[in-house]
Amino acid sequence: MFGSLAIYNYRLYASGQIISLVGVWMQRVAQDWLVLELTNGSSLALGVAASLQFLPVLLLSMWGGVLADRSDKRKLLLWLESALGICALALGLLDVTGVVQLWHVFVLCFLLGCFSAVETPVRQSFVVEMVGRESLTNAVAINSMMFNLARIVGPAIAGVTVVAIGTGWVFLANAISFVGVVLGIWLMRTSQLQRSEPVPREKGQLLSGLKYVRHRPDLLTVMLLVFFIATFGMNFYMTLAILARNVFGGDADAYGLLSTLIAVGTFAGAAWAARRKTPRLSVFIGAGVVFGLLEIVSGMMPTMLLSGLMMIPVGIAMMTFNTTANATIQLAVEPEMRGRVMGIYMLVFLGGNPVGGPLMGWLGEINGRAPIIVGGIVSVLVTATAWIILVRRGDIAKPRLRRQTELSPAELQPSDR
């Protein structure tokens, strides 16, 4: 389960990441709560903040993939992680000094989104350089385990800290946590990295990535499902805050508890994924259907405790869906295209939030339970539709997404690359 941690560079990376991810999840809870406090509980304002943070994904994630293919990913990550820490520091200083206003939060959400949109495809495509193809599936699962362990610890700490000393100190703690990830990347042994040759700078490299995916029905299937489910079904950064405050009348610690319970499920799902060697399309599709059904049930629970307990199996299904999608895409593409394909993948994974955020916020204004129930319904419908199409085509019987394609990078025209 933890085989990738035997690799020195990945061990350094993981050590820094777990510290930073705890801080990131603390900030997410504190940021959502700060917006609610500044607006007297407006779920619409919470949706706008989420949209501003995810809007840059639409503009920059694919360019981040191009940069990943062209650049030294390690050096690029050092700059990007430092920039993310500075954003957290700025919001913390504004908050603890008592001058923070809603527009400050909106501006910093946007800046944070810009850096994250570029950083994510670079970081995702850097994993294979640390561990190699043979350990990639395990490393992706361990990344998810770290992410969700932080998702358990971070919100729990944030909920207590926000109530005790306020949101500003949480932002400052997150800024300090970025020191760990920057230090881990800095201390890596570059001679042990399994780097792919950087792609020479040429015109049309962004379009060549889109053309590559367009000619891969297997990649398109995964990405379309990820888009719909992530956009409408995985808005837990917002729907849990609305449930905690506007439906069940809870405080920041109630929101932290709900976030922790879903994280318990996602951590369990990631641990299960770490034991699987081969990602399967049938597991991916089945997890999407189960996730949607469980989400509907959780949104209909009469008490916060029952709703929170339902979040555990919701988290298991969600993480099974996500880790299978990530691993299959990375294993299905050629190394020289990995950065651009992961940029497109992150675009579909996060790029729908500027649409889904305000829409779910608007639904939350009408009924606090509506966003999570509607998200579950959409997830079930789109995944069931994909299941029927794949069964008729015979694709669902294939054990995994194949790396073979009728259009390889070598077959692309130089002008397209």
Side-chain angles (χ1 to χ4, degrees):
M1 184 186 295
F2 302 103
S4 296
L5 293 176
I7 301 170
Y8 175 79
N9 283 338
Y10 185 76
R11 191 161 62 247
L12 276 179
Y13 167 84
S15 300
Q17 277 291 309
I18 190 63
I19 296 171
S20 179
L21 286 170
V22 170
V24 167
W25 275 107
M26 289 173 63
Q27 170 150 336
R28 288 189 181 184
V29 172
Q31 179 180 285
D32 290 347
W33 205 255
L34 177 61
V35 170
L36 291 175
E37 287 185 336
L38 292 173
T39 60
N40 194 29
S42 172
S43 57
L44 182 59
L46 193 61
V48 171
S51 296
L52 288 171
Q53 188 163 333
F54 291 112
L55 180 62
V57 174
L58 296 174
L59 308 173
L60 300 175
S61 65
M62 289 195 295
W63 287 109
V66 172
L67 286 175
D69 286 336
R70 288 178 179 174
S71 309
D72 183 326
K73 299 178 184 63
R74 174 179 167 273
K75 291 181 179 179
L76 191 55
L77 278 176
L78 286 172
W79 287 105
L80 292 169
E81 298 291 352
S82 299
L84 291 169
I86 291 172
C87 288
L89 177 64
L91 184 56
L93 292 175
L94 287 170
D95 198 356
V96 297
T97 55
V99 300
V100 66
Q101 299 179 32
L102 185 61
W103 72 269
H104 292 146
V105 181
F106 285 167
V107 168
L108 286 167
C109 281
F110 182 74
L111 289 176
L112 187 68
C114 288
F115 292 121
S116 296
V118 178
E119 182 265 352
T120 303
V122 177
R123 173 169 45 83
Q124 294 277 350
S125 58
F126 183 56
V127 173
V128 71
E129 294 192 1
M130 290 184 284
V131 302
R133 284 184 55 84
E134 64 278 1
S135 299
L136 178 61
T137 302
N138 179 256
V140 169
I142 291 177
N143 286 348
S144 298
M145 291 174 67
M146 291 190 300
F147 180 84
N148 290 288
L149 178 61
R151 194 174 183 176
I152 295 170
V153 176
I157 296 175
V160 175
T161 305
V162 167
V163 173
I165 58 177
T167 53
W169 296 103
V170 175
F171 302 137
L172 293 178
N174 183 37
I176 295 172
S177 75
F178 276 95
V179 175
V181 68
V182 171
L183 187 61
I185 296 172
W186 179 267
L187 294 175
M188 285 183 181
R189 297 171 182 167
T190 55
S191 61
Q192 295 181 6
L193 293 174
Q194 302 180 41
R195 293 173 173 171
S196 56
E197 286 296 323
V199 177
R201 183 185 180 91
E202 295 175 351
K203 291 183 179 180
Q205 288 177 318
L206 181 61
L207 291 178
S208 71
L210 291 169
K211 186 177 180 180
Y212 179 80
V213 172
R214 181 170 62 88
H215 286 79
R216 294 288 301 271
D218 52 352
L219 298 180
L220 281 174
T221 299
V222 174
M223 290 190 180
L224 285 173
L225 285 180
V226 166
F227 172 78
F228 280 104
I229 293 182
T231 299
F232 300 103
M234 297 183 184
N235 291 292
F236 295 113
Y237 59 87
M238 180 177 63
T239 55
L240 294 185
I242 295 172
L243 276 177
R245 188 183 192 280
N246 296 356
V247 175
F248 297 121
D251 209 334
D253 52 351
Y255 174 34
L257 176 62
L258 289 178
S259 298
T260 299
L261 287 171
I262 193 171
V264 170
T266 52
F267 180 79
W272 180 44
R275 294 180 176 273
R276 297 197 307 269
K277 294 182 178 181
T278 304
R280 295 180 179 273
L281 188 59
S282 58
V283 173
F284 170 70
I285 297 292
V289 173
V290 172
F291 166 76
L293 292 173
L294 291 172
E295 189 175 26
I296 295 170
V297 174
S298 68
M300 299 174 66
M301 289 292 101
T303 67
M304 188 177 70
L305 178 60
L306 291 175
S307 182
L309 291 175
M310 278 301 304
M311 289 298 165
I312 296 176
V314 167
I316 294 174
M318 180 175 72
M319 191 47 53
T320 302
F321 179 86
N322 288 343
T323 55
T324 306
N326 190 304
T328 49
I329 284 181
Q330 292 215 51
L331 289 173
V333 301
E334 283 74 16
E336 59 267 36
M337 298 297 297
R338 185 171 287 115
R340 278 166 284 180
V341 172
M342 291 309 296
I344 298 170
Y345 173 75
M346 296 314 301
L347 173 64
V348 301
F349 187 73
L350 298 174
N353 281 281
V355 176
L359 178 60
M360 292 303 170
W362 174 72
L363 287 175
E365 296 279 0
I366 299 174
N367 186 299
R369 298 179 184 271
I372 194 168
I373 294 175
V374 170
I377 292 172
V378 171
S379 299
V380 171
L381 290 178
V382 297
T383 312
T385 301
W387 182 286
I388 294 171
I389 294 172
L390 290 170
V391 168
R392 288 181 176 178
R393 287 174 49 186
D395 291 342
I396 203 65
K398 297 173 184 177
R400 58 186 173 187
L401 298 185
R402 296 175 298 178
R403 196 176 169 193
Q404 296 146 353
T405 175
E406 62 221 37
L407 187 68
S408 68
E411 296 170 319
L412 294 173
Q413 297 297 322
S415 60
D416 291 329
R417 294 185 71 186

